[in-house]
Amino acid sequence: MKEILSVQSLKKYFSAKGGDSLKAVDDVSFSVREGDVFGLVGESGCGKSTLARLILRLIIPTDGRIVFDGMSVADAHGETLSKIRRGLQIIFQDPFASLNPRKRIIDAIGEALIVNKLAQRAEVKDKVAELLAKVGLNGSTLYKYPHELSGGQRQRICIARALSVNPKLIVADEPLSALDVSIQAQIINLLEDLHRASNLSFVFISHNLQVIEHFTDMVAVMYLGKIVEMSPTEAFFREPLHPYTEALLSAVPVPEVDRQRKRIILEGDVPSPLHIPSGCPFHPRCPKRFEPCDKIVPVLKEARKGRVVSCLLWE
């Protein structure tokens, strides 16, 4: 299957007071195949959203390479950049913040059609109505403003706007977290339907591991700017390899009849990315740490066929 996105040795460092460097994304590599859903998980502050913005070229990497559909994202200019912008779209976490409160829905979606020369002005109303129907909204939404809609409706509008330019890959950055639980199920079902109907690829970022298990083909776990485990989804949930992954999965609720999983409580909080611990970054909180963990930085390497992990237990 064709590779639609390749991220190679990607880094994003921010300068901080005192000359320190905040390593938001640190040597991250992965790829997404055409039509696949790539899941990205990890605690808040681990670099997931920064990675999303790097992929979209909303921020420029410190080092590394991003290739989308054969085009280098960081080096693109002119028509190549426009092509990348059309092919790569994002759905943000907060649908209200990502919509202009002064623009009606027909204008919020129609603008992208006109700018990308996908419709004449006379065609915009019909084209936007078609897009709204795709996401489960009717024509009465056309002339409304964002504040007149519910959270779920606003997120559907954001999805319709992303679809308006016929993208090949959508980065969904926590698209469910600002919504009620009942609405979350509707939105993930919508994304699934669109994925099946259009063979869309996704980079899907979420804290909700149950959704990750249900929707993705591959999963990567981030911790302090690095990927510590990457695996096909089924194997990932059946047999987690990294102690951090084990702890994350232990927190997922299980039915009473299947209550065999023991909750793993990690020590302390995630360290500051300004002061990353020596050796393995996870070792101060790891329940399986042993003598070399505070000295040796583990390398991300294959531990099982098609699965990689960064842990000295697998050296």
Side-chain angles (χ1 to χ4, degrees):
M1 199 179 292
K2 181 184 172 185
E3 189 176 85
I4 191 72
L5 178 72
S6 174
V7 174
Q8 304 160 10
S9 305
L10 194 64
K11 297 179 181 179
K12 181 60 182 178
Y13 297 169
F14 295 98
S15 298
K17 289 181 180 178
D20 290 328
S21 185
L22 191 155
K23 298 179 178 180
V25 174
D26 191 18
D27 200 20
V28 165
S29 299
F30 67 90
S31 62
V32 182
R33 297 182 303 180
E34 201 170 54
D36 273 7
V37 180
F38 184 89
L40 202 57
V41 302
E43 292 169 282
S44 296
C46 70
K48 304 186 300 298
S49 291
T50 302
L51 180 54
R53 283 153 178 75
L54 287 166
I55 293 169
L56 272 294
R57 209 173 100 158
L58 299 176
I59 54 177
I60 303 299
T62 303
D63 198 7
R65 187 168 163 82
I66 304 164
V67 178
F68 169 70
D69 203 19
M71 298 171 285
S72 175
V73 173
D75 302 328
H77 300 282
E79 181 52 37
T80 302
L81 180 57
S82 297
K83 193 174 178 182
I84 289 170
R85 295 269 191 233
R86 289 193 296 271
L88 271 173
Q89 288 290 302
I90 188 165
I91 303 168
F92 289 103
Q93 178 176 347
D94 185 349
F96 191 66
S98 59
L99 291 169
N100 187 331
R102 297 184 180 183
K103 281 190 176 180
R104 299 171 303 174
I105 301 311
I106 187 171
D107 300 316
I109 299 174
E111 183 179 39
L113 294 170
I114 293 168
V115 167
N116 289 283
K117 299 177 182 175
L118 297 172
Q120 300 294 325
R121 287 197 179 273
E123 303 171 317
V124 165
K125 181 180 176 182
D126 290 340
K127 293 273 190 183
V128 173
E130 283 177 27
L131 286 162
L132 291 178
K134 266 188 179 181
V135 298
L137 295 172
N138 57 42
S140 66
T141 315
L142 277 168
Y143 297 101
K144 290 186 176 180
Y145 289 90
H147 73 269
E148 298 178 279
L149 304 172
S150 68
Q153 288 173 320
R154 287 194 289 263
Q155 195 61 292
R156 288 173 188 269
I157 297 298
C158 293
I159 294 168
R161 184 176 59 182
L163 293 173
S164 67
V165 291
N166 303 314
K168 293 185 177 181
L169 185 144
I170 291 177
V171 178
D173 186 8
E174 297 277 6
L176 309 177
S177 62
L179 306 175
D180 293 339
V181 174
S182 59
I183 306 300
Q184 288 181 12
Q186 295 175 21
I187 297 300
I188 197 65
N189 287 338
L190 170 61
L191 292 175
E192 276 197 305
D193 291 343
L194 293 169
H195 172 240
R196 282 194 295 264
S198 309
N199 199 38
L200 266 171
S201 304
F202 283 86
V203 173
F204 190 83
I205 300 170
S206 181
H207 283 99
N208 191 325
L209 288 167
Q210 291 168 313
V211 171
I212 289 287
E213 183 175 16
H214 179 68
F215 186 47
T216 66
D217 300 291
M218 288 283 293
V219 189
V221 181
M222 286 190 74
Y223 188 80
L224 285 176
K226 290 181 177 288
I227 288 178
V228 296
E229 181 171 351
M230 186 160 52
S231 169
T233 302
E234 186 181 349
F236 176 87
F237 282 90
R238 185 181 65 245
E239 183 195 12
L241 302 180
H242 197 283
Y244 179 57
T245 308
E246 290 180 348
L248 289 179
L249 293 184
S250 79
V252 177
V254 294
E256 201 68 43
V257 292
D258 190 33
R259 193 162 292 280
Q260 299 175 3
R261 187 184 294 156
K262 183 181 178 183
R263 178 73 189 271
I264 300 170
I265 307 297
L266 296 178
E267 298 176 12
D269 297 319
V270 181
S272 165
L274 281 170
H275 305 290
I276 294 173
S278 61
C280 172
F282 183 59
H283 87 264
R285 306 175 71 203
C286 183
K288 294 185 176 180
R289 63 181 179 266
F290 60 112
E291 195 270 331
C293 292
D294 62 345
K295 302 177 185 70
I296 301 173
V297 180
V299 178
L300 191 67
K301 60 188 291 187
E302 190 170 56
R304 296 270 195 276
K305 187 176 180 181
R307 306 185 65 185
V308 293
V309 64
S310 171
C311 179
L312 295 177
L313 291 169
W314 296 93
E315 289 288 329

